[in-house]
Every structure is written in C-alpha cells, then in structure tokens.
Amino acid sequence: MQTSVDGFIEGPNGELDWAIAEDKDTWRDLDETLSSVDTFILGRGMYPVYEQYWLALFAKPTWTKDENAYARRADKIPHIVLSKTLDKVAWKTTRIVRDVEEIRKMKQQPGKDMLTFGGATLISSLMNLGLIDELRLWSIPLFWVEERHCSKMSRRDTP
C-alpha cells in the first residue's frame, strides 16, 4: 500500500495518481515481491481502473520499460476481485469472488503469497478479519494535510 510521508493513502479528493513512484528502487522492490506471489487480490473500487490501465498497455506498449515488464508479469498471475456487485471482468486471469471467506480458504492452500492491491476499505476489511499477514507500506515523498490516514484503517486489537 502506498502512503504519503505523513501517513495518508489518498489525496483530498480521492486522488491516487501521486502514489506511483517512478524510480528503479521501487520497481526493483516490486519485482522482488512479485517473485513470491501467485495471486493478486483487488477490490471492486480499484479493479476497473487497474484493469483498464494495464490492459491498455498490451494494446499499445508505449509506457516505461518497468511498466511493460510489470504488465507482462501480472498477465500471468491470477487476479481475484473481492466484490458483491461487480458483474464482469475483461482480464483473462481474473475471477470475481463474492465472499471473503473464500479468501480465507485460499490462504490455507499450499502456494506462494497473495498480494493485495486496494484502497482503505479492502485493506481494512482484510486486516479486521485477520487475513493480512504482512503490510508493506511504500512511502511516497509527499505531505497531505488531512483525509484518509492509514492509522484509521484497522479496528482490530493487535497483541
């Protein structure tokens, strides 16, 4: 999950465009993370934009070398969209899951890690159900004044 230096996960109007770091270290870290992942989990809110952005890259691969490499790699990794309302997806490796308990069952199966891309609603829901084993925060060198601070995400008591 990307966060500003002062702990915010989106801009005052829900903006996420600031949360993409275009440096070699970030792409290297993401590439290392992906080597241990065999499933992506996304929420209904983020998935349509994610799908549109990355599938467009296949139609016209004109973005950065790192983005092109990510898109090729992501195309081979199964995607799960946790949603009760989304009806269809276009990405061939994607399926819709209606019940979070299916995620719990998937976690109990052998395999690599699952990587969740999503906003505060998805992440906090999974955290509150004990389904997040590790939270990686990518700190973007930016300060916001207020809005959706990451400290407000979990209501679950931790030991």
Side-chain angles (χ1 to χ4, degrees):
M1 171 173 269
Q2 293 95 343
T3 178
S4 65
V5 173
D6 52 347
F8 292 92
I9 58 173
E10 63 183 36
N13 298 307
E15 304 95 339
L16 297 174
D17 56 347
W18 59 272
I20 304 293
E22 290 297 331
D23 62 78
K24 290 293 177 190
D25 290 338
T26 301
W27 284 108
R28 186 188 66 245
D29 290 347
L30 181 58
D31 189 57
E32 288 176 15
T33 298
L34 293 181
S35 67
S36 67
V37 169
D38 65 4
T39 305
F40 289 155
I41 301 172
L42 295 100
R44 174 202 47 80
M46 177 177 265
Y47 182 78
V49 174
Y50 175 93
E51 177 187 82
Q52 179 183 13
Y53 185 84
W54 293 109
L55 288 182
L57 192 103
F58 291 115
K60 190 174 183 184
T62 57
W63 293 320
T64 70
K65 175 184 169 189
D66 293 314
E67 285 178 309
N68 289 327
Y70 172 84
R72 285 190 303 275
R73 195 165 190 177
D75 192 42
K76 297 174 184 165
I77 298 174
H79 291 64
I80 303 296
V81 181
L82 187 58
S83 174
K84 293 182 180 178
T85 59
L86 191 65
D87 292 325
K88 62 181 179 174
V89 293
W91 203 327
K92 67 182 183 220
T93 60
T94 302
R95 70 182 176 98
I96 299 169
V97 169
R98 303 281 182 213
D99 187 352
V100 72
E101 287 305 314
E102 189 167 341
I103 303 294
R104 186 179 309 278
K105 289 176 187 172
M106 291 171 62
K107 281 180 56 71
Q108 295 170 353
Q109 301 300 313
K112 293 183 175 183
D113 294 336
M114 296 179 188
L115 179 62
T116 302
F117 290 114
T121 301
L122 175 64
I123 301 297
S124 62
S125 294
L126 295 174
M127 283 176 66
N128 290 329
L129 292 169
L131 295 174
I132 300 281
D133 296 325
E134 178 180 354
L135 184 62
R136 293 186 185 188
L137 299 175
W138 282 301
S139 182
I140 308 298
L142 178 83
F143 288 90
W144 290 105
V145 179
E146 56 184 84
E147 290 307 312
R148 299 188 66 147
H149 197 273
C150 64
S151 66
K152 299 176 184 175
M153 287 176 33
S154 179
R155 294 187 197 108
R156 183 172 179 246
D157 293 329
T158 54

